Amino acid sequence: MTRAGVLDTIDTLLSSSVSGMDPAFVGVSRGEPLSIPALPWVAFWLSGLSVIPEMRTLGDESTITNITVRSFHPTSIETGSAEKINLEVWNAISGIRSALLSDASLSDNASQIQINDATVETSEINGVYYVQTTQTIDVWILGDTTITP
């Protein structure tokens, strides 16, 4: 189990899921983006870490790491675009969940994952308005941190 393995597997799963989206995500990036093209995009980044007190031993600590997955869908003022974007956003939420749950141990780099509820909001990045979906993944890693006395 490695932290790099967790990130690499999430990247791979999201990258492979983009081909099934309609329209497909143009890209996947690690880290919260400061700018993105006006095209469907998905990004993920570390957003928190907590120790599981009940799982602390004299030799190690187990952790739950929070990873945010956010998809970006540019909006349009064309007729019928609201209906189209709503379906696109719903498909994205489902596609991201499906991709991540297809490998719930993240290639044996995590003990388990939990995908929390999705939220949807509109935001502006560099003059482009996007409908965003946000899902947080809880990644459980037992024995993550070694304690050396």
Side-chain angles (χ1 to χ4, degrees), residues 6 10 13 47-48 50 52 63-69 93 96-106 109-118 134-141:
V6 166
I10 291 172
L13 292 170
S47 51
S50 58
I52 307 168
T63 62
I64 301 173
T65 301
N66 313 112
I67 297 177
T68 299
V69 178
I93 291 168
I96 290 167
R97 289 182 65 84
S98 182
L100 294 171
L101 290 172
S102 72
D103 184 359
S105 71
L106 301 177
N109 287 294
S111 304
Q112 71 182 53
I113 64 170
Q114 176 182 328
I115 302 174
N116 299 302
D117 295 341
T134 303
Q135 299 177 74
T136 304
I137 310 165
D138 294 337
V139 179
W140 294 55
I141 303 177

Side-chain angles (χ1 to χ4, degrees), residues 125-146:
I125 301 174
N126 293 335
V128 177
Y129 286 89
Y130 295 89
V131 175
Q132 299 179 163
T133 70
T134 303
Q135 299 177 74
T136 304
I137 310 165
D138 294 337
V139 179
W140 294 55
I141 303 177
L142 302 181
D144 181 37
T145 306
T146 302

Side-chain angles (χ1 to χ4, degrees), residues 35-57:
S35 68
I36 55 174
L39 300 164
W41 201 269
V42 66
F44 68 97
W45 59 89
L46 179 73
S47 51
L49 184 140
S50 58
V51 173
I52 307 168
E54 302 82 12
M55 301 294 290
R56 184 177 288 144
T57 69

